[in-house]
Amino acid sequence: MIPTVNKIYLQYRAKKLTRNETESLLLAEIFKSPKYYGLVNPSEDDISNFLLWIHQYIPIILEKYNPTESTFLTYFTTAIRLRYRSWKRQIVKEKVLQEILDNYHYQESLKNEEYYIEVAELEPTYLPSCSQELQPRYPLSTIQATTVLVLALRSIHSLSDSIINKISQLTGISREEFQRCIESVESYIEKKKQLQQQLERKINRTYIFCQQHKQELEALEPSMSQYHIVARQYEYKKKLLEKLRNDKKNAGFYPPNKLIEEALNLPKGSVRRILRNADKRIAQIKALLDLENE
């Protein structure tokens, strides 16, 4: 009896089966006898995933068959076994790359966590812990109130509703006006976040390429011409990765001084001068607040 796979091909050549019908029947043969086609101890999920993947290559396999060299069964079996090995290598490679990426994201998340802790620690130094209405008997000077507002906008990540209320009471600015200032700065921060996400994706891709090239180099001999090609690619990607990481490090999420000056309607250069003297101003403000609790 002529094997089923040979029959399928002969019917296809005789145009008794369409291309789609032929592909479906051949895939069904693989599904019925996976071990015959090199799928060693496969799970149902493995078989399904492999069939989904190999489906795109069936037309190529059909086109490349030469009846003068072997039976279609021999040719088809060999082709599927080779493709299955390629698929397994691809699965292993993707798993390794995902582990690399997951580890990278984990390390970056630790850095980000440290960053947000640092930002949060900057914010409350000028805010009292008391729950009373903040109307000091010794009112803040204009420069002291402005210092509070500038530092608040610099620490915009940490502003809660309760903190916004306290700042409004402490400085005399209306909540509505301060909210407008916050919104003008937040629009800039949102754009920065989007750019940061794009940069993060570039870093991810470049990091993966670096690891791929590194693994390729380990598998090649220095005497091989391919080794030097991969080495140049590896060095280029390493330098690019370093540059992208520096770009990310230097980007930050602090709103620029110019934006804060525009939001608070301050003269050019005011924020730089205020930040330079912020420690002294905050000490003065804390001294005033301490007097309120005496």
Side-chain angles (χ1 to χ4, degrees):
M1 179 182 293
I2 300 176
T4 303
V5 169
N6 283 344
K7 284 184 178 180
I8 293 170
Y9 181 75
L10 290 174
Q11 289 177 336
Y12 169 67
R13 286 293 302 270
K15 298 185 177 180
K16 294 180 179 179
L17 292 173
T18 66
R19 171 67 65 83
N20 288 338
E21 290 172 338
T22 303
E23 291 173 10
S24 296
L25 290 171
L26 291 175
L27 290 172
E29 288 301 307
I30 300 173
F31 182 79
K32 286 191 294 186
S33 306
K35 291 185 179 180
Y36 183 80
Y37 293 97
L39 282 69
V40 181
N41 298 322
S43 66
E44 290 186 3
D45 287 342
D46 284 342
I47 297 174
S48 298
N49 291 333
F50 176 66
L51 291 179
L52 287 172
W53 180 82
I54 195 64
H55 184 275
Q56 62 187 313
Y57 296 104
I58 297 298
I60 299 174
I61 292 173
L62 287 171
E63 290 171 6
K64 289 188 174 182
Y65 173 55
N66 185 349
T68 63
E69 294 180 354
S70 66
T71 66
F72 184 75
L73 174 63
T74 301
Y75 165 78
F76 184 71
T77 303
T78 302
I80 296 302
R81 288 182 176 180
L82 290 174
R83 294 284 182 178
Y84 179 70
R85 292 174 190 170
S86 297
W87 178 73
K88 290 292 288 185
R89 285 196 297 270
Q90 180 176 317
I91 294 300
V92 171
K93 182 179 179 180
E94 289 176 353
K95 184 178 180 181
V96 171
L97 293 179
Q98 189 60 49
E99 289 175 351
I100 291 171
L101 192 55
D102 288 344
N103 182 63
Y104 171 75
H105 281 151
Y106 174 71
Q107 297 299 327
E108 289 299 303
S109 70
L110 294 181
K111 295 179 183 177
N112 290 338
E113 184 179 29
E114 291 173 359
Y115 165 74
Y116 284 113
I117 288 174
E118 289 171 1
V119 170
E121 287 175 346
L122 288 174
E123 169 268 327
T125 55
Y126 54 85
L127 295 174
S129 59
C130 57
S131 59
Q132 65 191 55
E133 289 292 310
L134 300 177
Q135 301 293 342
R137 294 196 306 269
Y138 307 92
L140 303 187
S141 66
T142 300
I143 186 61
Q144 289 170 342
T146 303
T147 299
V148 171
L149 295 175
V150 167
L151 292 178
L153 292 180
R154 284 273 294 180
S155 303
I156 194 169
H157 300 287
S158 308
L159 294 181
S160 63
D161 284 342
S162 62
I163 290 176
I164 291 172
N165 285 333
K166 290 177 181 177
I167 291 174
S168 177
Q169 295 162 6
L170 180 62
T171 62
I173 190 174
S174 70
R175 180 184 170 88
E176 291 74 20
E177 180 65 14
F178 188 44
Q179 192 65 48
R180 183 194 62 77
C181 296
I182 291 172
E183 289 172 359
S184 66
V185 173
E186 281 180 334
S187 62
Y188 168 86
I189 294 294
E190 188 58 37
K191 291 178 183 177
K192 290 284 287 185
K193 284 182 179 179
Q194 293 174 2
L195 292 174
Q196 194 81 345
Q197 289 169 356
Q198 293 175 9
L199 181 59
E200 186 70 33
R201 287 192 289 269
K202 289 182 182 178
I203 291 173
N204 288 346
R205 289 196 299 270
T206 306
Y207 182 79
I208 286 176
F209 280 129
C210 275
Q211 296 303 312
Q212 286 179 306
H213 294 328
K214 183 179 180 181
Q215 292 175 5
E216 287 182 58
L217 284 175
E218 292 173 352
L220 295 171
E221 294 295 332
S223 59
M224 301 170 66
S225 59
Q226 182 67 17
Y227 179 91
H228 299 288
I229 295 174
V230 175
R232 286 196 296 271
Q233 293 173 334
Y234 178 53
E235 288 302 318
Y236 170 75
K237 291 297 182 182
K238 276 204 309 181
K239 291 179 181 177
L240 178 58
L241 180 61
E242 183 179 1
K243 176 184 179 301
L244 291 173
R245 282 176 167 169
N246 285 333
D247 289 345
K248 178 183 176 183
K249 181 179 178 181
N250 295 329
F253 279 115
Y254 290 119
N257 293 350
K258 181 180 178 181
L259 183 62
I260 296 177
E261 288 165 354
E262 291 174 353
L264 296 175
N265 196 25
L266 298 175
K268 183 179 179 181
S270 297
V271 171
R272 178 176 56 82
R273 290 190 294 271
I274 287 171
L275 292 175
R276 189 172 58 222
N277 298 305
D279 289 342
K280 180 177 69 174
R281 303 298 182 198
I282 289 173
Q284 294 171 349
I285 295 168
K286 290 178 70 176
L288 286 175
L289 294 174
D290 287 342
L291 291 174
E292 293 301 305
N293 293 324
E294 289 182 350

